[in-house]
C-alpha cells in the first residue's frame, strides 16, 4: 500500500467521523418540530448539541483540506462539477450556525421561531444533499478527457442518488433520536426512544436497499461483506433502543453509519470519481498530489490528529450528563 492508498483510507475515515458526529447534530435539528412541545423542550434539545456541534463541523473542514492537498484533481473536479449543491450545503450550514448563536439574542417568540426554522432547514437539507452527493460519486458522472464535469445539475438528481439522500436523512434522524434518548430525561427521552425505534426500521430498509444497489456500481467481496455487517449492526442498534439501552444503541448506530461510509468507499476504490466513460475516471493514482506532498501530510497528521481526538474526547466527557427541562432556568 502506497501513500495514495493511505490517504484515500484517511479521507474515508474523516468522512466517517464527520457523518457519525455531525449526523446526530443534523438529526436533533431535524427533530425540533417533532419532539419538542414548547420552547423549553426545544432549548433542552438544542442544549444537548450546543457544546459540541461546532467541533463536529471541524471534521468537514479537515476532510476538505485533506482532499485538496492529497487529491487536488479530485477536489477541483468535485467542487466545480457539484458547485450548486455544495453551495446550498454551505449556505444552509452557515444559516444553521447563525441560528445556534442568535436564537437567544432577543426575548421574542417570533424571533426564536424564525431561527428554529433556520435550524431545522439547516439540518435537513445537508442531511439529504450529502447522500445525493455520495450517490453520484459512487455511481459516476459525466467527465471529459480533461476530467471536467460536463453533465447538468439535473443529471445529479438520478434515482440512485435520491435514494442515497433519503438514506442519509433517515440514518441521521434515527441517530439524532437515539442521541436525544441518551442525553435527555423525562418526556423528551421517552418520545425520542419511541421515535428512534420507528425511524430505525425505515432507515434499516433504506440502508439495505441503497447498499445493495451500490454493489452494482463496482462492488467487490470486501464491499459486500462490509455492507452486510453494516445492516446487521444497524439492526442491533434498533434492538438496543427497543429494550432501552440507549448507550449501546448509540454506539451501534455510530458504528453502522461508519460502516456504511466505508462500504461506499470500498465500492469506489480505486476510483475517487468514476466517469461514465471509464477512460476519463479519476483514480487514486491520476488524481493524487506528489509523493513529497503526501509524505509531509502524513507526518503532520501523525503529529496533530491525536491532539484533536484527545481534545474532542475531553469535550464529550465534560458534557456527558443528561439534561432536562429542570436544567433550563425560568424566563429568557
Amino acid at each position: 500500500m502506497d501513500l495514495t492508498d493511505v490517504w484515500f483510507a484517511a479521507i474515508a475515515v474523516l468522512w466517517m467521523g464527520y457523518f457519525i458526529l455531525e449526523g446526530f447534530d443534523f438529526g436533533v435539528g431535524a427533530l425540533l418540530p417533532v419532539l419538542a412541545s414548547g420552547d423549553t423542550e426545544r432549548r433542552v434539545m438544542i442544549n444537548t448539541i450546543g457544546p459540541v456541534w461546532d467541533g463536529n463541523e471541524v471534521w468537514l473542514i479537515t476532510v476538505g483540506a485533506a482532499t485538496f492537498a492529497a487529491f487536488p484533481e479530485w477536489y477541483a473536479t468535485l467542487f466545480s462539477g457539484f458547485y450548486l449543491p455544495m453551495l446550498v450545503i454551505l449556505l444552509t450550514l452557515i444559516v444553521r450556525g447563525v441560528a445556534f448563536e442568535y436564537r437567544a439574542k432577543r426575548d421574542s417568540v417570533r424571533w426564536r421561531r424564525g431561527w428554529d426554522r433556520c435550524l431545522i432547514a439547516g439540518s435537513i437539507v445537508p442531511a439529504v444533499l450529502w447522500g445525493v452527493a455520495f450517490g453520484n460519486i459512487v455511481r459516476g458522472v459525466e467527465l471529459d478527457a480533461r476530467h471536467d464535469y460536463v453533465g447538468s445539475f439535473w443529471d445529479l438528481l438520478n434515482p440512485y442518488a435520491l435514494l442515497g439522500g433519503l438514506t442519509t436523512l433517515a440514518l441521521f434522524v434515527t441517530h439524532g433520536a437515539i442521541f436525544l434518548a441518551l442525553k435527555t430525561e423525562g418526556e423528551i427521552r421517552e418520545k425520542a426512544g419511541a421515535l428512534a425505534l420507528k425511524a430505525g426500521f425505515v432507515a434499516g430498509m433504506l440502508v439495505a436497499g441503497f447498499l445493495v444497489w451500490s454493489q452494482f456500481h463496482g462492488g467487490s467481496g470486501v464491499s459486500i461483506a462490509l455492507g452486510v455487517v453494516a445492516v446487521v449492526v444497524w439492526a442491533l442498534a434498533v434492538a438496543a433502543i427497543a429494550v432501552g439501552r440507549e448507550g449501546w444503541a448509540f454506539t451501534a448506530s455510530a458504528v453502522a453509519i461508519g460502516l456504511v461510509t466505508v462500504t461506499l468507499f470500498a465500492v469506489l476504490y480505486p476510483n475517487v470519481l468514476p466517469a461514465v466513460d471509464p477512460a476519463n475516471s479519476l483514480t487514486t493514482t491520476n488524481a493524487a498530489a506528489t509523493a513529497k506532498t503526501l509524505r509531509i501530510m502524513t507526518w503532520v497528521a501523525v503529529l496533530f490528529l491525536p491532539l484533536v481526538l484527545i481534545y474532542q474526547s475531553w469535550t464529550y466527557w465534560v458534557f456527558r450528563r443528561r439534561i432536562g427541562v429542570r436544567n433550563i432556568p425560568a424566563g429568557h
Side-chain angles (χ1 to χ4, degrees):
M1 179 179 291
D2 57 29
L3 287 180
T4 57
D5 294 331
V6 169
W7 276 98
F8 180 82
I11 289 172
V13 171
L14 290 172
W15 276 114
M16 181 177 66
Y18 175 68
F19 286 146
I20 290 172
L21 297 175
E22 189 83 315
F24 68 75
D25 287 349
F26 288 149
V28 171
L31 291 173
L32 271 182
V34 179
L35 296 180
S37 57
D39 185 65
T40 302
E41 291 191 350
R42 284 194 291 271
R43 289 176 66 186
V44 170
M45 292 176 63
I46 292 171
N47 285 356
T48 62
I49 59 175
V52 298
W53 71 268
D54 47 356
N56 294 342
E57 286 194 347
V58 171
W59 288 77
L60 177 60
I61 299 171
T62 305
V63 74
T67 305
F68 172 77
F71 299 100
E73 190 81 12
W74 183 18
Y75 181 94
T77 302
L78 183 64
F79 280 78
S80 59
F82 292 18
Y83 187 85
L84 182 56
M86 290 294 184
L87 178 62
V88 172
I89 290 174
L90 177 61
L91 291 176
T92 52
L93 290 178
I94 291 172
V95 171
R96 176 172 170 265
V98 173
F100 278 117
E101 302 297 335
Y102 274 63
R103 183 184 185 275
K105 297 300 183 183
R106 182 180 295 175
D107 188 10
S108 165
V109 173
R110 183 178 179 183
W111 173 270
R112 289 194 293 272
R113 286 180 178 174
W115 286 116
D116 285 345
R117 295 187 189 100
C118 293
L119 180 56
I120 294 164
S123 300
I124 294 175
V125 173
V128 174
L129 290 183
W130 281 128
V132 173
F134 266 85
N136 281 289
I137 291 172
V138 173
R139 174 180 176 267
V141 294
E142 291 277 358
L143 299 180
D144 62 16
R146 297 190 305 169
H147 301 143
D148 292 330
Y149 178 68
V150 293
S152 69
F153 168 76
W154 302 109
D155 292 334
L156 302 177
L157 302 180
N158 54 80
Y160 172 71
L162 293 175
L163 176 60
L166 291 176
T167 301
T168 51
L169 177 62
L171 282 173
F172 295 160
V173 166
T174 307
H175 196 41
I178 295 173
F179 179 77
L180 285 171
L182 176 66
K183 285 287 294 178
T184 60
E185 56 188 28
E187 188 177 352
I188 299 178
R189 177 187 179 187
E190 295 174 2
K191 290 189 294 186
L195 188 144
L197 185 60
K198 297 174 183 177
F201 282 112
V202 176
M205 291 186 290
L206 289 172
V207 167
F210 182 60
L211 291 183
V212 168
W213 197 344
S214 299
Q215 303 306 321
F216 293 96
H217 294 294
S220 62
V222 173
S223 64
I224 292 173
L226 287 169
V228 170
V229 176
V231 173
V232 170
V233 174
W234 186 259
L236 293 176
V238 175
I241 198 66
V243 297
R245 301 298 297 271
E246 293 102 342
W248 285 108
F250 183 74
T251 301
S253 67
V255 172
I257 291 172
L259 286 169
V260 170
T261 307
V262 172
T263 300
L264 295 180
F265 273 85
V267 172
L268 191 59
Y269 183 81
N271 295 314
V272 293
L273 186 60
V276 174
D277 181 356
N280 297 333
S281 294
L282 285 168
T283 68
T284 55
T285 302
N286 63 18
T290 64
K292 182 177 181 180
T293 299
L294 295 177
R295 284 195 299 270
I296 294 172
M297 289 177 60
T298 302
W299 281 111
V300 171
V302 168
L303 292 174
F304 289 100
L305 183 59
L307 298 177
V308 174
L309 293 176
I310 291 171
Y311 171 76
Q312 194 159 27
S313 298
W314 176 79
T315 303
Y316 277 90
W317 175 256
V318 170
F319 296 101
R320 67 190 181 277
R321 299 188 184 279
R322 293 181 183 271
I323 62 173
V325 294
R326 63 183 179 85
N327 301 113
I328 304 299
H332 180 61

